[in-house]
């Protein structure tokens, strides 16, 4: 990440410097009001830094809410139940994580939230998953194989219901706002498969450092107490002792495969009834978590507040990481480097099904979620293009089927203070590329 960060900043600076040398200020103070190249970069730095803090502050409320709900679910044993249900798949993907460890349940909740298009809910679940994975980390500050794979899957996870994009298409006057459901599902499925294969392959060329000779410090952080027999918290942190203690046992295999088959059965339901289901998801999740905790005799309010306190602390901790990556991306865009890259690559992609209008969207999506969203909105609201044209369908498929990779890495690794990310970025970007290629291919097949 150090090299990537420095490279983006240097390219932006050199590009702006070149444009500044060639810049001729308008005579008589007139002109169109455009700032000089270096002045534009300076303005972008200030705006991006402020925007990063605003983004983190906006995350505080959502992070506090959902990590509070996560604490209730954890205290009631839900994460252990989920981990055991999906154990056959998760143990193959994450062999370094004990089958009934709380990290398994947190990762499952994160992937489920991403699948339903709930980015706001997915982030707190993902942060909790990273915290639990870090407890198993023998070398603090360095990403483990499980962390790298989890984030690669996170940036490419299968999306059943891209609710936000469907809403934007509807507001832009689309005759069929949900037309991108099958294309989004196909693109994310391809990206997820590639994420798993690529990350598993790359980890062979990026060995983790040897563990320290002394016992891992995570053991000291692990709470001594856990929940009682009725799911009532006996310690302030609410971690489950039986989350690791029953790892040798689990549900019968047929129960796990029945559950997985049920998850797959949600795919056609989400396609058929997505717009009807979407408004119910977040209120339903809140009620479900709290009722589950109450049935398990958890002191839901006290446990919720404890988890919410952790959410506030995490949201504040990630501010420096967000400032760094968003300032670099802001400089890259304001310097004209992005525009130059689009012009150079666009001549080749036009013949492959990627119109020049859509290329900025594909290039920006891994770098800047807000930037990519703005490009998408401007394209589908352009009367000359519209939401139901091939270009409009392609950019909305890209928005619904890919993730802001650098943002995800900054937030999740920042939450656990990981600095050496090893092969995580390579795996995530490979998945992003696969998702873009798959989106173009399926849109050419369905809409061209």
């Amino acid at each position: 990440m150090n090299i990537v960060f420095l490279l983006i900043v240097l390219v932006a600076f050199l590009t702006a410097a070149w444009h500044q040398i060639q810049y001729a200020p308008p005579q008589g103070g007139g002109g169109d009001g455009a700032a000089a190249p270096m002045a534009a970069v300076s303005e972008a730095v200030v705006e991006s830094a402020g925007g990063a803090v605003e983004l983190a502050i906006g995350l505080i409320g959502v992070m506090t809410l959902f990590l509070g709900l996560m604490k209730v679910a954890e205290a009631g044993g839900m994460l252990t139940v989920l981990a055991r249900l999906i154990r056959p798949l998760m143990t193959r993907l994450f062999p370094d994580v004990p089958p009934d460890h709380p990290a398994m349940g947190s990762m499952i909740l994160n992937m489920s939230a991403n699948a339903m298009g709930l980015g706001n809910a997915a982030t707190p679940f993902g942060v909790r998953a990273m915290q639990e994975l870090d407890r198993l980390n023998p070398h603090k500050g360095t990403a483990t194989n499980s962390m790298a794979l989890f984030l690669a899957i996170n940036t490419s996870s299968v999306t059943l219901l891209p609710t936000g994009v469907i809403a934007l298409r509807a507001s832009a006057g689309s005759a069929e706002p949900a037309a991108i459901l099958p294309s989004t599902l196909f693109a994310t499925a391809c990206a997820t498969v590639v994420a798993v294969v690529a990350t598993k392959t790359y980890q062979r060329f990026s060995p983790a450092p040897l563990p320290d000779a002394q016992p891992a410090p995570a053991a000291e952080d692990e709470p001594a107490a856990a929940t009682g027999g009725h799911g009532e918290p006996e310690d302030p942190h609410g971690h489950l002792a039986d989350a690791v203690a029953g790892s040798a046992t689990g549900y019968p295999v047929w129960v796990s495969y029945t559950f997985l088959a049920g998850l797959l059965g949600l795919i056609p339901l989400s396609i058929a009834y997505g717009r009807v289901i979407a408004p119910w998801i977040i209120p339903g999740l809140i009620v479900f978590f709290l009722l589950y905790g109450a049935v398990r005799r958890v002191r839901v309010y006290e446990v919720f507040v404890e988890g919410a306190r952790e959410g506030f602390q995490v949201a504040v901790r990630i501010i420096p990481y967000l400032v760094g990556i968003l300032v670099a991306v802001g400089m890259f865009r304001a310097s004209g480097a992005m525009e130059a890259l689009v012009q150079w690559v666009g001549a080749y992609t036009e013949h492959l099904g990627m119109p020049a209008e859509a290329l900025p969207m594909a290039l920006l999506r891994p770098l800047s979620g807000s930037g990519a969203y703005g490009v998408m909105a401007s394209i589908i609201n352009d009367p000359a293009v519209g939401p139901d044209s091939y270009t409009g369908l392609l950019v909305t498929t890209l928005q619904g089927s890919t993730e802001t990779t650098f943002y995800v890495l900054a937030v999740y690794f920042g939450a656990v203070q990981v600095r050496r990310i090893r092969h995580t970025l390579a795996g995530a970007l490979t998945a992003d590329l696969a998702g873009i290629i798959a989106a173009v291919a399926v849109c050419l097949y369905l809409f061209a």
Side-chain angles (χ1 to χ4, degrees), residues 131 152 187 241 308 410 430:
Q131 291 173 329
T430 302

Side-chain angles (χ1 to χ4, degrees), residues 35-45 330 334-335:
M38 275 298 177
V41 171
S42 299
E43 184 179 348
V45 167
S335 68

Side-chain angles (χ1 to χ4, degrees), residues 342 353-363 375 379 390-392 394-395 398:
V342 167
M354 175 71 75
E357 300 93 334
L359 187 57
M361 169 75 193
L363 294 176
V375 171
I379 289 175
Y390 170 78
T391 301
L394 175 60
V395 295
L398 289 171

Side-chain angles (χ1 to χ4, degrees), residues 363-408:
L363 294 176
L364 268 177
R365 189 67 176 113
L367 296 172
S368 169
S370 59
Y373 190 88
V375 171
M376 176 194 63
S378 65
I379 289 175
I380 65 174
N381 283 288
D382 184 349
V385 182
D388 295 326
S389 65
Y390 170 78
T391 301
L393 289 162
L394 175 60
V395 295
T396 47
T397 296
L398 289 171
Q399 178 73 20
S401 60
T402 55
E403 186 54 89
T404 311
T405 299
F406 287 87
Y407 167 80
V408 169

Side-chain angles (χ1 to χ4, degrees), residues 12-404:
F13 176 80
L14 293 175
T15 304
W18 174 254
H19 289 160
Q20 182 71 31
I21 292 172
Q22 298 179 316
Y23 177 72
Q27 297 295 327
D32 56 4
M38 275 298 177
V41 171
S42 299
E43 184 179 348
V45 167
V46 175
E47 290 181 356
S48 299
V53 176
E54 292 176 5
L55 179 60
I57 292 174
L59 275 176
I60 288 177
V62 176
M63 195 83 74
T64 299
L65 170 64
F66 281 99
L67 282 185
L69 294 173
M70 275 282 291
K71 184 67 76 174
V72 173
E74 182 182 345
M78 181 188 294
L79 302 188
T80 303
V81 172
L82 283 173
R84 289 177 176 176
L85 280 172
I86 204 167
R87 177 176 174 169
L89 175 62
M90 296 297 283
T91 52
R92 285 169 173 77
L93 288 176
F94 300 95
D96 299 333
V97 181
D100 286 354
H101 194 275
M104 286 291 196
S106 299
M107 287 190 289
I108 292 166
L109 286 174
N110 169 266
M111 295 174 190
S112 301
N114 273 327
M116 300 308 293
L118 304 177
N120 289 340
T123 299
F125 294 156
V127 167
R128 172 50 61 89
M130 290 293 286
Q131 291 173 329
E132 296 296 346
L133 289 173
D134 197 50
R135 292 178 180 275
L136 301 171
N137 190 353
H139 201 96
K140 301 300 182 184
T142 299
T144 63
N145 291 339
S146 296
M147 288 179 176
L149 179 58
F150 170 62
L151 290 190
I153 293 176
N154 189 282
T155 60
S156 63
S157 59
V158 175
T159 303
L160 305 179
L161 195 62
T163 50
V165 182
I166 291 174
L168 185 63
R169 286 179 53 81
S171 67
S174 172
E176 194 175 354
I180 61 166
L181 281 173
S183 59
T184 298
L185 180 59
F186 177 81
T188 52
C190 292
T192 301
V193 171
V194 170
V196 173
V197 174
T199 308
K200 291 281 190 181
T201 302
Y202 296 156
Q203 74 184 36
R204 301 177 184 177
F205 306 100
S206 177
L210 294 176
D212 297 334
Q214 298 178 349
E220 300 176 2
D221 299 333
E222 199 71 41
T227 57
H230 300 291
E232 192 166 317
E234 296 176 357
D235 72 286
H237 299 289
H239 287 285
L240 301 172
D242 63 349
V244 206
S247 60
T249 62
Y251 298 118
V253 176
W254 68 267
V255 174
S256 297
Y257 283 114
T258 301
F259 178 74
L260 290 172
L263 288 180
L264 293 176
L266 292 176
I267 294 176
L269 286 177
S270 68
I271 294 175
Y273 303 105
R275 282 179 290 177
V276 177
I277 297 172
W280 294 77
I281 294 175
I282 290 182
L285 279 175
I286 295 173
V287 171
F288 175 74
F289 281 134
L290 294 180
L291 284 180
Y292 181 88
V295 169
R296 296 284 293 174
R297 298 181 62 181
V298 173
R299 294 193 293 266
V300 290
Y301 182 72
E302 296 174 19
V303 175
F304 172 86
V305 170
E306 180 63 30
R309 186 179 296 114
E310 294 180 16
F312 178 84
Q313 295 167 352
V314 169
V316 172
R317 193 185 308 145
I318 65 177
I319 289 178
Y321 297 85
L322 283 180
V323 170
I325 197 63
L326 292 184
V327 165
V329 171
M331 291 178 64
F332 190 74
R333 293 183 63 195
S335 68
M338 174 64 73
E339 183 181 355
L341 183 61
V342 167
Q343 291 178 352
W344 177 62
V345 178
Y348 301 96
T349 61
E350 186 80 37
H351 306 290
L352 300 176
M354 175 71 75
E357 300 93 334
L359 187 57
M361 169 75 193
L363 294 176
L364 268 177
R365 189 67 176 113
L367 296 172
S368 169
S370 59
Y373 190 88
V375 171
M376 176 194 63
S378 65
I379 289 175
I380 65 174
N381 283 288
D382 184 349
V385 182
D388 295 326
S389 65
Y390 170 78
T391 301
L393 289 162
L394 175 60
V395 295
T396 47
T397 296
L398 289 171
Q399 178 73 20
S401 60
T402 55
E403 186 54 89
T404 311

